[in-house]
Amino acid sequence: MRIDLSGLHSGKRECNLFFAILVFIVILAVWGNGVGQKRLAETVHEKNLFAMDTYFSLRAYGPNAEAGLTLCEDRVRELEKLLSVTAEGSDVWRIDQEQAASVAEDTFRLIGEALRIGEQTDGALDITLYPVLRAWGFTTGDYRIPEKQELAELLTAVDYRAVALEGGSHSVTVPEGVQIDLGAVAKGYTGDVLIDILRQQGVTSAILDLGGNVQTLGTKPDGTPWRVAVRNPFDRSQVAGVLEVNDMCVITSGGYERYFTGEDGQIYWHILDPVNGMPARNGLVSVTVVGEQGVRCDALSTALFVMGKDRAVAFWKQQGDFDMILITEDGELILTEGLRDCFESGADWAEQVVYID
Ligand code: ADP
Ligand code: MG
């Protein structure tokens, strides 16, 4: 019997061809993926700076990212020179030394915004606290606990309503003894300016971390949301949760950001209550504000920290243009309803989460 092997041969040929095509496809896929990753890697640009007394980490993607970040760095240096309370000759320094100064448009706008939010928060945000902050040593690191009497005297010069703005000449005037400091709002304002620069440069994907203030532009390059960690204030190496956001600011004020331990063993932190000049201790240890504008989120994170839980919740209900995460000293994690679908709590926190609406 003769066995016809021709079919077998042709089957083998087909099989070889199929195998060759498969190998080709696999090679193409691996190569393509490599190219894709390389392209992505090539278009990521980062800039790390020490500015405004903290670390800035700026990351942007796309062909215009590098040029955009260079402009950002120049702008940060410019704003730092205007807004620093300690740099001789800065706009803020001149207001504090000379009681009247004609200032740059940035300074003027930022002070105006800070005064408006001072008004809205009934003085919980007060940019004229500077003499009190200095008495505690928060500006120099020479920490001390001022006497009650000393605080009472210094508080007589604390009143944001005493700051007068004159639009035409961009001049700022304060009464003798009144001094301002923009520490609670300067980074948020800077973040807004940088996001604008990047947007104008055609960048559509960026994440800026200005010393813990996170501001995002667009989505991640792959279209998924940015993931921003909210620290556990009781153990900063851990997270209380992670937020997924696009085109949003996530700005936190925490007692743990800058503090010292007094000889009495107590912790004293750098967010002060303008009512008594003491570190604000109204039940909160961390406040995160999520919203579209950095300067507002920065101002509010400080102000809500001062207000405490009940006033913060009432304020949120009244304003309605932001979301927030409050962490209480009892370890409660209070979130506003708008964050329900974009927050994932960290290990051990799920049971403490409460949503308010
Ligand atoms: P951080 O600078 O740590 O991110 P904040 O945005 O909350 O934190 O700003 C805290 C700074 O704001 C302080 O270092 C001080 O300069 C200033 N400050 C503290 N308490 C107040 C207050 N009640 N109103 C306005 N400014 C404040
Ligand atoms: Mg702030």
Side-chain angles (χ1 to χ4, degrees), residues 26 67 78 83 94 112 147 235-236 248 265 297 309 356:
V26 169
E78 207 174 283
L83 305 177
R94 285 188 302 116
E147 296 290 333
D235 174 1
R236 298 210 51 205
M248 280 284 167
C297 293
K309 174 180 153 185
I356 51 166

Side-chain angles (χ1 to χ4, degrees), residues 116-167:
R116 259 190 300 282
I117 296 179
E119 198 82 53
Q120 283 176 5
T121 60
D122 216 5
L125 182 83
D126 193 324
I127 57 169
T128 64
L129 265 171
Y130 185 56
V132 184
L133 265 160
R134 216 177 28 208
W136 283 94
F138 283 115
T139 49
T140 54
D142 295 330
Y143 301 123
R144 58 188 274 274
I145 305 169
E147 296 290 333
K148 287 261 174 306
Q149 179 63 25
E150 183 184 354
L151 287 178
E153 274 162 31
L154 291 170
L155 281 169
T156 60
V158 172
D159 185 0
Y160 65 95
R161 287 165 298 195
V163 181
L165 300 181
E166 207 280 296

Side-chain angles (χ1 to χ4, degrees), residues 213-229:
N213 282 15
V214 178
Q215 299 195 211
T216 64
L217 171 60
T219 63
K220 281 198 214 167
D222 65 4
T224 60
W226 299 105
R227 289 171 60 80
V228 182

Side-chain angles (χ1 to χ4, degrees), residues 125 183-185 213 251-253 295 297-303:
L125 182 83
V185 290
N213 282 15
I251 296 187
T252 301
S253 282
V295 64
C297 293
D298 199 2
L300 289 183
S301 68
T302 309

Side-chain angles (χ1 to χ4, degrees), residues 204-263:
T204 54
S205 177
I207 184 160
L208 314 180
D209 180 342
L210 315 186
N213 282 15
V214 178
Q215 299 195 211
T216 64
L217 171 60
T219 63
K220 281 198 214 167
D222 65 4
T224 60
W226 299 105
R227 289 171 60 80
V228 182
V230 176
R231 281 187 197 285
N232 172 353
F234 304 104
D235 174 1
R236 298 210 51 205
S237 64
Q238 305 283 318
V239 298
V242 175
L243 277 167
E244 290 199 331
V245 293
N246 299 324
D247 275 316
M248 280 284 167
C249 312
V250 179
I251 296 187
T252 301
S253 282
Y256 54 80
E257 298 280 354
R258 191 167 295 200
Y259 63 88
F260 70 95
T261 308
E263 280 169 11

Side-chain angles (χ1 to χ4, degrees), residues 170-211:
H170 282 175
S171 72
V172 183
T173 314
V174 294
E176 171 100 44
V178 171
Q179 294 189 317
I180 67 162
D181 140 56
L182 301 175
V185 290
K187 280 183 286 165
Y189 179 81
T190 303
D192 290 337
V193 169
L194 302 190
I195 290 282
D196 269 354
I197 290 176
L198 292 174
R199 197 179 273 130
Q200 276 166 24
Q201 291 298 307
V203 174
T204 54
S205 177
I207 184 160
L208 314 180
D209 180 342
L210 315 186

